[in-house]
Amino acid sequence: MLLSTSAAMAQKVEFNKKDSEKKVEVLVDGKLFTNYFYPGEEVLKKAVLYPVYSPQGTIVTRGWPLDPRPGERVDHPHHVGVWLNYEDVNGNDYWNNSDAVDHAKRAYGTIRHTGIKSMKAGKGKGELVVTADWVDKDGKLTLQEVSTYTFSGSGNQRIMDRSTKLTAVNGDVALPDIKDGMFAIRVARELELPSTKPEIFTDASGIATKVPSLNNEGITGNYRNSEGVEGEEVWGKRAVWCNLTGKIKDEKISVAIIDHPKNVGYPAYFHARGYGLFAINPLGQKQLSGGKETLNYSLKNGQSTTFRYRMVVASEHLSDEALNSEAAKFAKTK
């Protein structure tokens, strides 16, 4: 069951800023939970949380392409750690941008880390506030970002809340319905769902490899959402939360994403795939609903919107009841 801070002793959250490594370590109860990692666009086209550890110290994020591990898939090099971006912002693709794509064939945008505004360590929670610029293919500033990360931990769980305020600058901003977005994690191979059909994977050089069947030994993942939908069927379904459970070696692990009622599109559609992409997309309603709904969200010049998400990483399999309780608590936050 999920332990609240009232049921378990809240743990201290500390930050360790390492400018030379372009990261801020996030420590919970003296142990590394994750890094806020901003290596620059020659490495990644956005800042990410990477890697992410369970309370027992197991890495739950994929290592490739930064730190490859044996047996991992080598698809989608832009899927790194935990991130937030979108496939279509004024016609620029911020989701798929990496050095593996042909920038002459499509307009790609970059999210440039611009600063760390504050770090507040503390007993029970810690807060990290960062800024970024969303620039288009020509380097023109489109959106200004202020993101507040709130980290906490108690018992067998770690929690990360991300609140991202986006402000339109230099004109109106269109975010039309599209599949790839918005808050996401790429998980370790063991947390993927077992593959039951032949697939084609493309590496960072664009070389496609046909895989007739994958070795499912140790592959233990399964999705379940707040509506009771499981497995691959959670894709394209609205839900307040979605939970990915599995095992890495002998450790039971849950990774859950929770939506917030103040978000546009709540409850949002989940863009969760068996191969390890676990995302929630409030804006891609036309694609994710099979054409039944359309949003085509936009911001007027100077207008802002805020996206709020909670991610729970636990060294246990979380129950529906526990996640419903966690969602209710999250809903009460600003």
Side-chain angles (χ1 to χ4, degrees):
M1 85 185 269
L2 191 63
L3 297 173
S4 68
T5 52
S6 61
M9 186 175 293
Q11 296 162 344
K12 187 177 181 180
V13 178
E14 301 169 284
F15 299 107
N16 186 11
K17 191 167 179 282
K18 294 190 171 182
D19 293 333
S20 63
E21 299 176 45
K22 296 186 176 180
K23 68 181 182 181
V24 177
E25 293 180 335
V26 182
L27 302 160
V28 179
D29 196 29
K31 296 184 289 186
L32 187 62
F33 175 27
T34 189
N35 301 299
Y36 173 74
F37 185 46
Y38 53 100
E41 59 191 274
E42 67 279 0
V43 178
L44 292 174
K45 307 304 181 184
K46 72 267 186 182
V48 297
L49 297 181
Y50 175 85
V52 177
Y53 293 84
S54 76
Q56 292 185 14
T58 299
I59 295 177
V60 302
T61 43
R62 181 177 71 166
W64 190 86
L66 300 182
D67 304 294
R69 299 193 292 267
E72 290 188 315
R73 299 181 192 259
V74 291
D75 60 273
H76 302 86
H78 49 280
H79 291 175
V80 177
V82 179
W83 70 95
L84 186 151
N85 57 17
Y86 195 59
E87 187 183 351
D88 190 340
V89 181
N90 280 355
N92 287 256
D93 182 353
Y94 288 80
W95 176 276
N96 292 289
N97 195 4
S98 76
D99 287 335
V101 297
D102 186 347
H103 288 78
K105 291 185 177 181
R106 190 176 186 184
Y108 290 94
T110 300
I111 302 175
R112 293 175 177 162
H113 165 85
T114 55
I116 296 169
K117 290 188 68 176
S118 65
M119 296 184 296
K120 297 178 183 177
K123 179 82 171 181
K125 70 175 183 179
E127 183 182 275
L128 173 67
V129 182
V130 300
T131 58
D133 287 343
W134 294 46
V135 299
D136 68 12
K137 65 179 180 64
D138 299 317
K140 177 185 175 183
L141 178 61
T142 303
L143 292 167
Q144 286 189 320
E145 172 186 329
V146 179
S147 285
T148 300
Y149 294 91
T150 304
F151 302 96
S152 61
S154 61
N156 239 3
Q157 72 175 50
R158 301 285 182 266
I159 292 177
M160 184 278 292
D161 292 348
R162 177 169 179 164
S163 176
T164 293
K165 181 180 179 181
L166 299 176
T167 303
V169 293
N170 292 325
D172 298 348
V173 176
L175 298 101
D177 293 27
I178 204 158
K179 175 174 63 68
D180 285 337
M182 177 173 218
F183 177 67
I185 181 172
R186 182 64 191 260
V187 298
R189 173 77 176 122
E190 294 91 334
L191 299 179
E192 295 175 15
L193 276 62
S195 176
T196 58
K197 59 185 179 182
E199 299 182 66
I200 298 176
F201 302 108
T202 303
D203 66 15
S205 301
I207 300 173
T209 301
K210 294 182 179 180
V211 181
S213 62
L214 290 174
N215 180 2
N216 287 319
E217 183 179 355
I219 311 308
T220 61
N222 187 48
Y223 291 113
R224 180 176 172 85
N225 72 16
S226 57
E227 306 305 303
V229 179
E230 295 199 13
E232 295 267 15
E233 294 302 310
V234 302
W235 189 90
K237 302 293 193 306
R238 287 188 184 271
V240 173
W241 54 259
C242 189
N243 185 27
L244 174 61
T245 57
K247 288 180 69 176
I248 298 181
K249 295 183 179 177
D250 294 328
E251 182 181 353
K252 293 181 178 179
I253 290 173
S254 291
V255 178
I257 295 175
I258 303 173
D259 200 2
H260 195 286
K262 290 184 180 178
N263 288 340
V264 61
Y266 175 89
Y269 286 93
F270 276 86
H271 177 29
R273 297 296 199 184
Y275 65 80
L277 170 66
F278 183 14
I280 183 170
N281 183 359
L283 304 183
Q285 295 185 16
K286 185 175 181 179
Q287 280 71 22
L288 294 165
S289 70
K292 295 176 183 177
E293 298 177 278
T294 302
L295 177 63
N296 287 331
Y297 192 69
S298 64
L299 294 170
K300 295 292 186 183
N301 185 43
Q303 186 180 2
S304 300
T305 191
T306 300
F307 296 96
R308 308 160 184 86
Y309 299 104
R310 173 165 289 185
M311 181 172 287
V312 184
V313 180
S315 294
E316 59 182 308
H317 287 170
L318 302 174
S319 69
D320 291 8
E321 180 184 13
L323 284 165
N324 285 333
S325 176
E326 196 64 43
K329 288 188 288 184
F330 184 46
K332 295 177 181 178
T333 64
K334 293 182 179 180

